[in-house]
Amino acid sequence: MMCFGLKDRKRVKTNYCVIVLLDDTQLVHELHPSSSGQDLLDVVIKHLNLLETSYFGLKYYPSGSASRHQYNGMAGGQQQQSPYALGAPSGQSSNQNQQPVWLDMERSAIKQLRDISPMTVHFGVKYYATDPCKLAEEITRYQFFLQCKQDILSGRLAVSFELAIELFGLAIQSELGDYDPSRHLENYASEFQFVPHQTLELEQRAALYHRQLVGQVPATAELNFLEKVKWLDLYGCQLHLIQYDDGDPGSADLYALGLNPSGVLVLRNRLKVAQYLWSRIVKTKCQGRCFLMDVIDAADSMEQQRQLNNGGLLTTANQIKRPP
């Protein structure tokens, strides 16, 4: 029997995207074919009631890449300078493909995430403020606080043992408030994972530091936290491995190039060997696999051109005129 008058309706597939916030809570949003990356970001902005929106973005991890709690910047068998020095846990791959990809705000979100199942993006700070303590809104500072905590836990932001004690204590104050012996039992700091390779000694000393912070409301503790981390060289810095041809084929030195709010960093074996402030960088240029910078020296009499190449780090100095 044939039925007439009924239109053949195509089954429309419904796509959903999981948005992971910086406090690890999740939002589930229905994606339409016309939904752009900006539409997806607007969902978070509205949910968090953010006004200072230009600092934030959404990133995703390509299929088979590392999670956001893994940092691949300078991993491998290099000996670390401290228990929380730059680098991922030992044995982790340094595959460049593990870097997250920022969602393009103008393009279709579905087309960018179609190879990821389930579709998942992570909200985070894309552009770090030079001084996060001067951000106007408390909710914005709180998001920066959460992002910096995440950077420390992933190993992306290196901290010394003594600084880790203070930052850990401030993070506990933000989470639990004033120390109360009736509520905070022995080893209560162990409930929190703050750094990679966390030790019992760190937890105990952070708990002692937390007891000294009585009277600090969470917003003040978070502000003091940001005041300490903003001075770190690797604050807001995304590192990329490069190679340096120093003439020694047996050299095991690791070099990395990174951008932070102050300028461009060059690191060797997790130690800063050069920094170029944005105010001194005249011009940048990509040439194949090379990244070129024209930098004015402190005396304004010579401009150094550093060629940072995936296959080598070459340095030349040329006399040129300062641009008007």
Side-chain angles (χ1 to χ4, degrees), residues 25-293:
T25 60
Q26 298 182 359
L27 305 176
V28 179
H29 180 69
E30 182 179 349
L31 281 181
H32 300 284
S34 60
S35 297
S36 66
Q38 185 62 52
D39 293 331
L40 205 54
L41 181 59
D42 287 342
V43 173
V44 183
I45 290 172
K46 182 178 180 180
H47 176 78
L48 296 176
N49 195 26
L50 288 173
L51 297 179
E52 298 167 291
T53 61
S54 58
Y55 299 102
F56 303 101
L58 296 171
K59 57 189 173 183
Y60 62 93
Y61 292 84
S63 180
S65 69
S67 73
R68 69 173 186 173
H69 292 301
Q70 294 177 320
Y71 171 67
N72 68 298
M74 297 184 72
Q78 294 293 318
Q79 184 177 0
Q80 296 185 352
Q81 303 297 323
S82 75
Y84 316 112
L86 172 63
S90 60
Q92 185 172 305
S93 170
S94 59
N95 189 340
Q96 188 70 15
N97 292 330
Q98 292 178 347
Q99 294 283 4
V101 178
W102 289 101
L103 201 66
D104 189 325
M105 295 292 101
E106 303 299 326
R107 293 178 54 208
S108 165
I110 289 180
K111 289 183 178 179
Q112 296 180 73
L113 302 172
R114 59 189 172 189
D115 295 331
I116 302 174
S117 181
M119 291 185 179
T120 305
V121 294
H122 299 265
F123 173 74
V125 176
K126 185 176 182 180
Y127 303 108
Y128 287 72
T130 304
D131 189 349
C133 300
K134 293 183 178 180
L135 293 167
E137 298 289 323
E138 181 180 323
I139 183 61
T140 312
R141 295 193 296 271
Y142 179 62
Q143 298 304 315
F144 269 75
F145 164 73
L146 293 176
Q147 180 67 73
C148 289
K149 279 207 311 176
Q150 193 178 106
D151 291 345
I152 293 172
L153 178 59
S154 67
R156 174 180 171 180
L157 181 57
V159 295
S160 66
F161 183 79
E162 293 300 323
L163 181 57
I165 293 171
E166 297 179 12
L167 296 177
F168 195 179
L170 288 166
I172 295 173
Q173 181 71 14
S174 169
E175 183 74 21
L176 301 180
D178 291 345
Y179 172 72
D180 183 348
S182 64
R183 293 189 300 116
H184 304 143
L185 305 179
E186 186 178 2
N187 296 330
Y188 66 95
S190 62
E191 299 175 8
F192 304 94
Q193 184 68 28
F194 186 70
V195 295
H197 312 297
Q198 188 163 299
T199 63
L200 179 60
E201 180 186 2
L202 175 66
E203 294 169 356
Q204 292 174 340
R205 294 187 62 179
L208 290 174
Y209 186 79
H210 169 234
R211 298 177 188 184
Q212 304 172 23
L213 302 177
V214 173
Q216 284 194 25
V217 297
T220 301
E222 292 151 15
L223 190 65
N224 291 333
F225 183 101
L226 292 174
E227 180 65 36
K228 294 178 182 295
V229 300
K230 73 179 184 181
W231 299 107
L232 297 174
D233 288 333
L234 296 181
Y235 161 73
C237 189
Q238 179 68 55
L239 293 178
H240 303 274
L241 285 176
I242 58 175
Q243 294 179 355
Y244 174 55
D245 185 6
D246 57 3
D248 181 6
S251 175
D253 289 341
L254 284 177
Y255 285 80
L257 173 70
L259 307 179
N260 69 9
S262 300
V264 178
L265 295 175
V266 180
L267 295 96
R268 179 177 61 200
N269 296 335
R270 305 178 178 86
L271 298 177
K272 183 178 71 173
V273 294
Q275 180 173 7
Y276 305 97
L277 301 179
W278 292 119
S279 59
R280 291 174 51 199
I281 298 176
V282 179
K283 181 180 178 181
T284 61
K285 179 181 178 181
C286 290
Q287 183 175 317
R289 299 177 65 190
C290 301
F291 176 69
L292 305 173
M293 289 193 309

